[in-house]
Amino acid sequence: MQQYIIGNWKMNGTKAEAQKLAAGFLNRIQKADRPLPHIVLCPSYPYLLPVIEILKDSPIEVGGQDAHFERSGAFTGDVSLSQLADVGCKYVIVGHSERRRHHQESSGIIRKKIEAAIKIGLRPILCIGESVEERKAGKALHVVSNQLISDLPNSFTPHDLLIAYEPLWAIGSGHVPTSEEVEEVMGLMKHELSARISGSALVPTLYGGSVNAQNAPDLLALPHVDGLLVGGVSLKLDEFWEVINASER
Ligand code: PGA
């Protein structure tokens, strides 16, 4: 499978910085002399259009960091999935732990977002993962398995969505699980998916949490890792480019 490298810029930067980064990646892509992975950048809402404008004729795609499941209506401050699609987004991150924590997003809401996104042709990137307490209590596999059951819609096809394993304790902390830990959880994810849909091997499963240029090659070489969801490092042109180049394709 062609790997995925996804940059989650979170709530960072200015318009000028977003444009500069996008232009920087475009420049590198144009000069690249090797096959590249799927590259997706997820800027914050106000910078989606300027970034999409810069990347419009390039293979780099753009995604939103979240969205409301309703098409339109009285939801002050929200942005709908169809609005993201309307401006040219192809992906949307759903259920990121920062949304679950700061916005009390339940599995019911996350599932509605995934269903609505698939319906309009946006590919959701579902984020799941255990807390440090859950890992210490030996419950990581149980938590991830439950999240898959409660967050995923009843029916979907392998190309509809991506799933990112992001242990909460790894996000922004500099701590990365061991290869064995990543493989154990992501192997379980693949196994659970195979029990639910045919062609499940084609659902891209990504790892996320403190990815950097040093750990990316080892993570990307793991059998169950089809790509990376990168936060902080995706804001650094040179280092993110190294992560992109660590992909097998
Ligand atoms: P990080 O964030 O790479 O900065 O740890 C990852 C994420 O939150 O998706």
Side-chain angles (χ1 to χ4, degrees):
M1 181 188 302
Q2 188 181 357
Q3 293 187 320
Y4 287 79
I5 307 291
I6 301 182
N8 173 11
W9 291 358
K10 307 196 180 184
M11 195 176 69
N12 287 302
T14 61
K15 180 174 151 197
E17 284 164 351
Q19 287 171 312
K20 195 170 164 208
L21 258 183
F25 290 124
L26 179 63
N27 186 267
R28 305 266 169 129
I29 292 278
Q30 285 165 342
K31 292 186 186 145
D33 54 4
R34 66 180 287 270
L36 291 165
H38 293 285
I39 304 170
V40 182
L41 301 179
C42 302
S44 37
Y45 296 136
Y47 308 142
L48 283 170
L49 263 178
V51 165
I52 287 169
E53 189 55 33
I54 289 168
L55 301 175
K56 64 177 186 271
D57 296 322
S58 86
I60 308 178
E61 294 182 297
V62 176
Q65 296 176 12
D66 185 54
H68 200 288
F69 54 83
E70 293 286 356
R71 275 193 98 82
S72 61
F75 299 100
T76 303
D78 279 318
V79 167
S80 74
L81 290 157
S82 37
Q83 288 174 323
L84 291 185
D86 185 33
V87 297
C89 289
K90 301 280 187 258
Y91 295 79
V92 60
I93 298 172
V94 175
H96 191 282
S97 62
E98 286 151 18
R99 298 294 310 176
R100 294 183 196 249
R101 190 167 67 242
H102 301 307
H103 299 267
Q104 288 77 44
E105 277 196 14
S106 65
S107 289
I109 289 180
I110 290 164
R111 188 199 289 227
K112 277 189 187 174
K113 291 183 182 190
I114 294 175
E115 286 169 345
I118 293 172
K119 210 166 172 184
I120 62 164
L122 266 186
R123 285 181 91 190
I125 305 154
L126 168 66
C127 300
I128 55 177
E130 81 285 356
S131 66
V132 69
E133 294 80 17
E134 289 162 339
R135 167 134 314 255
K136 282 187 181 153
K139 292 185 183 155
L141 294 178
H142 180 70
V143 168
V144 166
S145 162
N146 276 349
Q147 284 176 332
L148 284 178
I149 292 166
S150 52
D151 296 354
L152 285 174
N154 290 333
S155 83
F156 60 95
T157 67
H159 297 289
D160 281 344
L161 49 81
L162 296 80
I163 305 179
Y165 169 52
E166 296 210 310
L168 274 57
W169 49 274
I171 296 176
S173 65
H175 301 299
V176 177
T178 62
S179 298
E180 291 72 29
E181 286 167 338
V182 173
E183 276 296 282
E184 186 182 34
V185 176
M186 296 191 58
L188 169 95
M189 284 164 54
K190 294 269 190 203
H191 177 75
E192 302 255 322
L193 285 168
S194 70
R196 293 193 50 169
I197 55 163
S198 60
S200 61
L202 298 172
V203 178
T205 53
L206 320 180
Y207 168 79
S210 293
V211 171
N212 57 35
Q214 284 72 49
N215 58 32
D218 288 344
L219 287 164
L220 285 165
L222 295 174
H224 293 122
V225 174
D226 302 319
L228 302 170
L229 178 53
V230 186
V233 161
S234 69
L235 291 158
K236 300 176 184 167
L237 180 59
D238 289 336
E239 190 169 357
F240 192 54
W241 188 245
E242 280 186 59
V243 172
I244 289 169
N245 275 299
S247 71
E248 291 176 346
R249 197 198 140 190

